[in-house]
Amino acid sequence: MRAIIQEKYGGPEALRLKDVAQPSPRKNEVLVKILAASINDYDWCLMRGKPFLYRLMFGLLKPKQKIPGMELSGVIEGLGEGVQEFNVGNAVYGDISEHGFGGFAEYVCVNEKALSLKPEFMSFTDAASIPHAALLAKQGLIDVGNIQPGNKVLINGAGGGVGTFALYIAKQYGVEVTGVDTGHKLSHMLSIGYDHVIDYTRSDFTQNGLQYDLILDAKTNRRPTDYMRSLVPGGQYVTVGGNLGRLLQMVVLKRWVRRIHKKAIDIVSLKSNKDLAYIEQLYEAGKITPIIDGPHKLSDVPKLIAYFGQGKHTGKVVVAPWDK
């Protein structure tokens, strides 16, 4: 089978398209023929081996995991011993990162717990874009952020995967949503329903005097005290990821901020594939429409990861089908 192989850390040159042996499922694993996969921040960090924490988790000098890719959809073509939830021929999708990687290939073997049945009404391309970003948005806004009707919400990193899904979810509550991003994304953000947009290259939303009930942050690129200026009394800031140094500041200072500013800082610890049924309901009702950059070819993955890391994409960058 063809797969994107990573044997060192670096730029796009660290990744190569190669022919490798097709895997066989072990106990509790299924063999999935991958029909679509998407690019995430994990892929960008793992390609470069930065921040250094990733090397501590995935290989100090070179990556232990040779095939990157964590979010996919496809069809089950084989079952390992003990598999109970699926049958050959089932269409599935999921965020497989808690059980390894391997999504940028024609086939992957993964524990059955990493996957959910794909609804018939959902395309494979859309399905590959949903599990990670949509659930970060859902858990950030609802489970952690406790979004309420009438809130004023700001989303930082609004034109990417998390940001676009977050808009659709927030709008189910009848809230006013402001999105922060730049470039060609701004007009697109308005077209899909953002009430206001801020170009971060021209205006710092933490300095403009406007305040929000809830901030959902996919970038986390400012000091905790900067965000506090943009929250109303009792407001809540929720981060789903971003700059590692700033995230560590959030962890250290969240109790102090709550005590001094009377405002909350929370960090989403993603529960992979939890509440996919909620997203499926919105999708079937036409209330969520994944924004797809692509689909692209498997051979383009190295340059697409760099493109993702530069923040030039809108929505989710998807790779599919493999035969083009």
Side-chain angles (χ1 to χ4, degrees), residues 54-131:
Y54 280 81
R55 296 194 184 211
L56 298 179
M57 295 188 295
F58 300 114
L60 188 61
L61 299 178
K62 60 182 181 179
K64 298 175 184 178
Q65 174 63 51
K66 300 302 182 184
I67 304 176
M70 56 173 282
E71 193 176 27
L72 58 85
S73 64
V75 176
I76 292 178
E77 291 200 352
L79 305 175
E81 179 186 353
V83 171
Q84 298 180 353
E85 298 297 325
F86 300 108
N87 296 306
V88 170
N90 285 161
V92 293
Y93 72 128
D95 171 355
I96 66 172
S97 58
E98 290 189 358
H99 297 273
F101 296 83
F104 297 140
E106 292 181 303
Y107 291 88
V108 68
C109 286
V110 66
N111 191 292
E112 64 174 330
K113 293 180 180 179
L115 300 168
S116 295
L117 286 171
K118 182 189 75 66
E120 291 186 5
F121 54 75
M122 184 181 290
S123 71
F124 284 100
T125 299
D126 284 355
S129 77
I130 286 174

Side-chain angles (χ1 to χ4, degrees), residues 5-173:
I5 303 297
Q6 180 175 0
E7 296 176 336
K8 62 181 181 180
Y9 295 116
E13 73 283 352
L15 303 175
R16 293 183 295 155
L17 181 65
K18 294 180 64 176
D19 288 315
V20 298
Q22 180 178 310
S24 298
R26 296 175 294 185
K27 185 176 181 179
N28 299 322
E29 288 187 340
V30 294
L31 172 68
V32 180
K33 179 178 177 61
I34 300 171
L35 297 181
S38 65
I39 292 173
N40 290 278
D41 194 56
Y42 260 123
D43 305 310
W44 168 240
C45 294
L46 287 173
M47 181 179 76
R48 299 175 303 138
K50 298 178 181 179
F52 188 78
L53 177 63
Y54 280 81
R55 296 194 184 211
L56 298 179
M57 295 188 295
F58 300 114
L60 188 61
L61 299 178
K62 60 182 181 179
K64 298 175 184 178
Q65 174 63 51
K66 300 302 182 184
I67 304 176
M70 56 173 282
E71 193 176 27
L72 58 85
S73 64
V75 176
I76 292 178
E77 291 200 352
L79 305 175
E81 179 186 353
V83 171
Q84 298 180 353
E85 298 297 325
F86 300 108
N87 296 306
V88 170
N90 285 161
V92 293
Y93 72 128
D95 171 355
I96 66 172
S97 58
E98 290 189 358
H99 297 273
F101 296 83
F104 297 140
E106 292 181 303
Y107 291 88
V108 68
C109 286
V110 66
N111 191 292
E112 64 174 330
K113 293 180 180 179
L115 300 168
S116 295
L117 286 171
K118 182 189 75 66
E120 291 186 5
F121 54 75
M122 184 181 290
S123 71
F124 284 100
T125 299
D126 284 355
S129 77
I130 286 174
H132 190 70
L135 293 188
L136 279 173
K138 187 270 178 186
Q139 292 171 26
L141 288 173
I142 300 175
D143 300 1
V144 178
N146 193 31
I147 189 172
Q148 297 294 315
N151 280 170
K152 288 188 176 181
V153 177
L154 180 135
I155 300 171
N156 189 26
V162 173
T164 51
F165 282 120
L167 169 70
Y168 293 127
I169 293 169
K171 282 299 182 180
Q172 307 311 307
Y173 290 81

